[in-house]
Amino acid sequence: MSKNINQIIVAIDGHSSCGKSTVAKEIAAKFNLTYIDTGAMYRAVTYYALQNGIIQEGFIDTDKLAASIDDIHIQLKRDSLSGNVVTYLNGENVESAIRSLEVSNHVSAISALSFVRKRLVQLQQEMGQQGGVVLDGRDIGTVVFPNAELKIFMTASPEIRAKRRFDEMTQKGEQVDFESVLQNVISRDHIDSTRAESPLRKADDAQVLDNSHLTREDQLQWVMDRLIEGGWLNNR
Ligand code: DC
């Protein structure tokens, strides 16, 4: 008898730009689990701060953000047509707004604030407590769900991640040079891993998925193998 996959908590952590959300979405779709994009939640708070004059000229008014934190309501809803998860901030669809460069440039600073993390971790725990969820982020296996049934720590070499980002950006018509994309990847790894609040760290019981040389299919198979090993799927 396999365990009931509808109750599983899958925690996916890892470096930026290594395809965590691709894996998380594929697993969620395959087993009808709920995908929780925790990065989107930090982005939504950042967007709120930008919209409400809390970030000005790169400076964050932390007192004002702390005073407003109870007014920030975030929901992740599944679009019934596309099946995609869409982020709502106080009832407004902000899915595309939170992916802007402006938000990306400020989200590291916002996600380093302990009162923001405390609030979002609590929300993530409420969203996932029933199980049947796949969460991706930086602190899921270490802080949010230390008892998650399957913990995956994803990584790929900085050069490979930079190449993927570079290709993505040039395909969108952005003018970038490879060296600066690579430096950005390296510097974000450093910020994520050395910040005081919940730094990116592999949980002791997480399994490492290095997808530097894996195809999407190989990667999905790797996760399926972990689920079979864990007794969540019949060997098929
Ligand atoms: O995964 P992403 O790029 O959308 O994440 C946006 C930012 O939020 C990134 O700077 C890391 C941070 N983050 C975090 O600190 N903790 C999480 N659980 C998820 C994201």
Side-chain angles (χ1 to χ4, degrees):
M1 253 279 283
S2 63
K3 301 178 203 168
N4 186 353
I5 196 146
N6 297 326
Q7 289 167 357
I8 197 172
I9 297 179
V10 181
I12 305 182
D13 291 304
H15 294 109
S16 53
S17 305
C18 63
K20 295 187 294 291
S21 69
T22 305
V23 176
K25 282 179 199 164
E26 282 181 352
I27 298 297
K30 193 161 178 78
F31 298 107
N32 201 22
L33 306 174
T34 300
Y35 168 50
I36 302 176
D37 176 353
T38 65
M41 297 164 80
Y42 289 95
R43 288 173 179 275
V45 173
T46 307
Y47 179 71
Y48 178 94
L50 285 163
Q51 291 295 93
N52 290 275
I54 293 172
I55 302 177
Q56 280 183 15
E57 291 163 25
F59 174 80
I60 305 171
D61 186 338
T62 47
D63 289 343
K64 193 168 170 195
L65 183 58
S68 320
I69 201 85
D70 289 338
D71 301 330
I72 303 178
H73 300 286
I74 299 169
Q75 291 166 294
L76 302 179
K77 295 191 208 167
R78 193 163 165 170
D79 181 83
S80 53
L81 276 180
S82 65
N84 294 335
V85 176
V86 177
T87 310
Y88 283 80
L89 170 66
N90 293 338
E92 183 198 345
N93 179 339
V94 293
E95 185 54 37
S96 126
I98 60 170
R99 312 286 166 189
S100 72
L101 193 60
E102 197 185 16
V103 170
S104 300
N105 285 340
H106 293 97
V107 65
S108 292
I110 293 288
S111 65
L113 299 171
S114 63
F115 64 90
V116 171
R117 299 204 72 84
K118 195 168 164 220
R119 174 80 186 183
L120 294 187
V121 166
Q122 188 187 17
L123 184 58
Q124 290 153 16
Q125 288 170 336
E126 281 165 18
M127 287 174 162
Q129 63 180 350
Q130 308 283 353
V133 287
V134 183
L135 302 96
D136 74 356
R138 306 293 188 285
D139 59 343
I140 310 303
T142 50
V143 176
V144 183
F145 285 111
N147 297 324
E149 283 84 10
L150 175 60
K151 295 185 188 177
I152 300 173
F153 188 84
M154 280 185 67
T155 189
S157 75
E159 289 74 16
I160 289 195
R161 287 183 284 136
K163 171 82 170 72
R164 290 176 188 154
R165 268 193 68 84
F166 176 81
D167 289 348
E168 230 173 68
M169 291 163 104
T170 45
Q171 268 161 29
K172 280 192 209 155
E174 290 177 43
Q175 298 281 329
V176 278
D177 69 287
F178 178 74
E179 196 49 38
S180 47
V181 177
L182 177 61
Q183 286 315 316
N184 179 266
V185 165
I186 293 171
S187 109
R188 286 203 297 165
D189 284 358
H190 182 73
I191 296 174
D192 280 354
S193 322
T194 55
R195 70 176 179 214
E197 283 296 324
S198 308
L200 172 64
R201 180 175 75 70
K202 181 185 107 48
D204 293 339
D205 52 349
Q207 311 204 50
V208 177
L209 170 56
D210 181 335
N211 68 3
S212 298
H213 304 289
L214 297 185
T215 63
R216 250 171 107 148
E217 291 73 30
D218 292 340
Q219 176 171 273
L220 187 60
Q221 188 57 51
W222 184 95
V223 180
M224 299 283 285
D225 290 345
R226 302 290 82 73
L227 289 170
I228 293 168
E229 247 170 39
W232 295 96
L233 301 175
N234 294 322
N235 199 342
R236 53 185 172 175

